Amino acid sequence: MLLPAWEMCLYGLLTVGSHLYAFYEAHRVSRKYEAVMDRRFGLEPGTLFQHLKKDPMDFEWSYWIEWGRERILWLLAGHLLVSQVSRLLVEKYKPWCLMVYGMAACWLLLGIRGFAVILLHATVSFAVAQFQLSLLTWLCSLVLLSTLRIPAVEEAKRKWYDTENDYYLLLFTVSVRCLFCTSFSLEYCWHGRAQKSSHSFLWMLAYVFYYPMFHNGPLMNFDEFSKQMRRQEAFSLKTNLGVLIVGVIRIFFWWCLAELMIHLMYIHALCSSAPPLESASYWALGGLALAQVLFFYVKYLVLYGVPALLLQMDGLKPPALPCCVSLMHSFTKMWRSFDVGLHRFLVRYIYVPMGGSQSSLLRTLFSTALTFAFVSYWHGGQSYLWYWGALNWLGVIVENAVKRILSISLIEDLIERFFSPRTRRRLHAVLASVSTSMLILSNLIFLGGNHVGKIYWNRIFMEVDLLSDY
């Protein structure tokens, strides 16, 4: 039941007002430590906002923007041209035209050795999939993924390239390709014998080398990709042009917003230095936390928005873009709504095969733990990622346990008897605030590392004088 309009408006004003004031305090702290951050990290001259300096400490944003500006955006434009021409003239052969283009783009960016590594991963995965044993396929996938973390192999690959940026492009690309190879191989294990034509090695190459999702995702499972790519739809150049123009304007707006955030608030530089976080007011501390998770959200609207637009232009339905993290009030919703493609992969290939929510309690706990263990390992396997994975596992388990308890008929009857629908809604919001605070903490560990999570834990939960700002 909806709350009174005046109450909803009050909550809305409080939410917006607190966000804006927290961002203002984060901006003040950024100005206060600007000289210190400049000496330590080398703030960059503003590009879009020339009178302001820019925080360069978000590696992922700086890295992909630089690559996009130099080469990747041009190669994506080439993909768009090949796609539209093939849809217009040779719709039947579109997957193979795009496959050849993706392989050529891979060769151009990563060199013949990088191309050979990805082709080798695909070949080995396909060969192992012929046994049609899911466990064997997973072992193969984990072994291939683990080769990215062997120091001797890392050093050998570094020697192939002139710069670290070139090597990292291979590393990121192969990491994402491992998921694509795994998806195809498992689908082959389940359906390959009955659907050989749609699970051939050629289709695997078309999937693995599909360029819009090649370097950084988003992830689309092979069964979805294959069905959509094989489906032939009416093609309208005029309609596609309209979609392209609207999509480009939307992405440009998101890019401007992300750039504005790191010009006004030195989010990542401040979070890389303990003294400012330890001395900042609670409002500034909250503002920096909100700004960091919201910047991550806006960043992925851009990084996933570009390939999603190209998927639309190719006649495919991309995974939904991330939902705003300020609307997230549970771990479960965050995993379902932020990286939708990754969530579908985890559910389809790990969570459900291992038992999922329909099995016994012990098996549900195990399947959830295994899912988060894989996510932590795939992201790099560093210690802070294991803490992040453990917190998310614990959050999902506690949320589901509370839901199960509250769904017991006796408890449901008591709640309905003693609390009105509006009171129940308010109590739900109170409970959700606990989950939200833990969710933000886990995201801060993911984005800033254990030291940032420890500082926030000590400042927010361990310090007693919460009214020191006043």
Side-chain angles (χ1 to χ4, degrees):
M1 184 175 181
L2 290 178
L3 298 175
W6 68 266
E7 189 174 351
M8 295 297 291
C9 289
L10 177 62
Y11 293 149
L13 288 172
L14 287 173
T15 301
V16 174
S18 60
H19 272 66
L20 292 176
Y21 185 71
F23 291 152
Y24 169 70
E25 287 294 322
H27 172 71
R28 286 184 59 193
V29 171
S30 299
R31 297 280 79 79
K32 178 181 177 181
Y33 289 97
E34 181 173 349
V36 177
M37 296 297 103
D38 198 9
R39 286 195 301 271
R40 183 169 180 184
F41 301 113
L43 300 177
E44 296 178 353
T47 49
L48 192 62
F49 308 95
Q50 295 184 1
H51 62 288
L52 298 170
K53 290 187 176 180
K54 173 183 172 180
D55 180 358
M57 292 302 292
D58 187 275
F59 171 78
E60 190 176 32
W61 178 252
S62 302
Y63 182 85
W64 289 117
I65 292 299
E66 181 182 347
W67 267 108
R69 188 168 52 241
E70 289 181 359
R71 290 189 183 181
I72 291 178
L73 278 179
W74 299 104
L75 288 172
L76 289 172
H79 169 94
L80 179 61
L81 179 63
V82 171
S83 167
Q84 299 309 294
V85 171
S86 61
R87 289 190 73 185
L88 192 62
L89 302 177
V90 284
E91 175 78 16
K92 184 178 178 181
Y93 300 103
K94 182 183 71 173
W96 321 123
C97 295
L98 297 182
M99 178 192 74
V100 171
Y101 181 85
M103 295 173 86
C106 171
W107 193 316
L108 179 66
L109 272 190
L110 300 177
I112 188 170
R113 290 173 175 173
F115 172 78
V117 167
I118 294 172
L119 188 61
L120 179 63
H121 274 242
T123 305
V124 171
S125 296
F126 186 78
V128 172
Q130 302 307 302
F131 293 98
Q132 294 191 305
L133 297 171
S134 297
L135 180 59
L136 188 61
T137 292
W138 264 115
L139 288 173
C140 172
S141 298
L142 291 173
V143 168
L144 290 174
L145 189 59
S146 68
T147 60
L148 303 178
R149 295 163 178 76
I150 299 174
V153 176
E154 286 183 299
E155 286 305 310
K157 290 178 181 175
R158 274 190 169 91
K159 293 177 182 177
W160 298 349
Y161 300 103
D162 297 328
T163 66
E164 282 287 289
N165 275 1
D166 292 336
Y167 164 71
Y168 281 128
L169 185 64
L170 174 66
L171 180 65
F172 298 148
T173 303
V174 174
S175 296
V176 177
R177 292 308 93 200
C178 282
L179 298 185
F180 279 69
C181 289
T182 303
S183 176
F184 176 89
S185 299
L186 288 171
E187 295 294 339
Y188 187 94
C189 290
W190 299 341
H191 309 295
R193 199 179 297 276
Q195 304 172 7
K196 286 186 178 180
S197 62
S198 60
H199 290 78
S200 64
F201 185 60
L202 204 59
W203 266 106
M204 183 181 197
L205 294 181
Y207 176 56
V208 170
F209 285 98
Y210 181 68
Y211 195 68
M213 302 186 290
F214 189 68
H215 297 294
N216 193 44
L219 182 60
M220 179 186 284
N221 295 339
F222 176 73
D223 62 318
E224 299 175 52
F225 176 84
S226 175
K227 288 174 186 174
Q228 294 183 38
M229 188 63 80
R230 293 162 71 89
R231 186 179 62 230
Q232 296 186 13
E233 295 181 338
F235 174 73
S236 169
L237 192 60
K238 185 178 179 181
T239 302
N240 264 19
L241 184 61
V243 171
L244 179 64
I245 292 171
V246 172
V248 168
I249 292 171
R250 186 184 294 120
I251 292 166
F252 180 71
F253 170 77
W254 292 330
W255 175 74
C256 290
L257 182 58
E259 286 290 320
L260 180 64
M261 290 180 73
I262 55 177
H263 279 77
L264 291 177
M265 296 174 284
Y266 305 141
I267 312 161
H268 308 96
L270 288 169
C271 288
S272 299
S273 182
L277 290 182
E278 291 172 343
S279 60
S281 68
Y282 287 107
W283 274 108
L285 201 66
L288 288 170
L290 282 171
Q292 191 161 23
V293 295
L294 283 169
F295 178 81
F296 185 70
Y297 158 66
V298 176
K299 173 172 68 176
Y300 268 89
L301 286 179
V302 176
L303 296 183
Y304 279 179
V306 173
L309 176 59
L310 289 174
L311 263 72
Q312 281 183 280
M313 299 293 291
D314 290 348
L316 308 181
K317 184 181 179 181
L321 293 178
C323 284
C324 180
V325 291
S326 288
L327 302 178
M328 304 288 184
H329 58 268
S330 74
F331 285 87
T332 307
K333 184 180 179 182
M334 192 277 290
W335 277 99
R336 285 177 181 167
S337 307
F338 193 83
D339 193 334
V340 175
L342 180 60
H343 175 260
R344 289 174 181 169
F345 176 93
L346 297 171
V347 169
R348 183 170 177 82
Y349 302 122
I350 302 178
Y351 184 67
V352 171
M354 294 308 299
S357 59
Q358 304 303 315
S359 57
S360 65
L361 177 61
L362 190 61
R363 195 166 177 183
T364 300
L365 292 173
F366 176 71
S367 59
T368 310
L370 200 61
T371 302
F372 284 113
F374 175 77
V375 172
S376 301
Y377 182 69
W378 179 73
H379 274 94
Q382 292 88 345
S383 63
Y384 74 93
L385 290 170
W386 292 110
Y387 283 113
W388 166 73
L391 272 175
N392 278 272
W393 174 77
L394 187 61
V396 170
I397 292 302
V398 170
E399 284 176 1
N400 282 287
V402 170
K403 284 180 183 177
R404 288 193 178 190
I405 292 170
L406 294 178
S407 65
I408 296 172
S409 57
L410 176 61
I411 295 177
E412 272 189 334
D413 292 341
L414 289 172
I415 291 173
E416 288 179 6
R417 182 181 301 175
F418 291 105
F419 300 106
S420 68
R422 288 180 174 178
T423 303
R424 293 201 297 270
R425 189 176 176 88
R426 295 183 186 105
L427 290 174
H428 183 199
V430 172
L431 286 174
S433 67
V434 178
S435 185
T436 301
S437 62
M438 292 295 102
L439 181 59
I440 292 174
L441 179 65
S442 73
N443 285 332
L444 288 172
I445 292 172
F446 176 73
L447 298 172
N450 289 333
H451 70 285
V452 172
K454 187 176 180 180
I455 290 171
Y456 271 89
W457 175 264
N458 289 335
R459 295 274 335 258
I460 302 299
F461 298 106
M462 303 303 290
E463 291 183 6
V464 178
D465 187 12
L466 296 178
L467 300 177
S468 61
D469 290 357
Y470 304 98

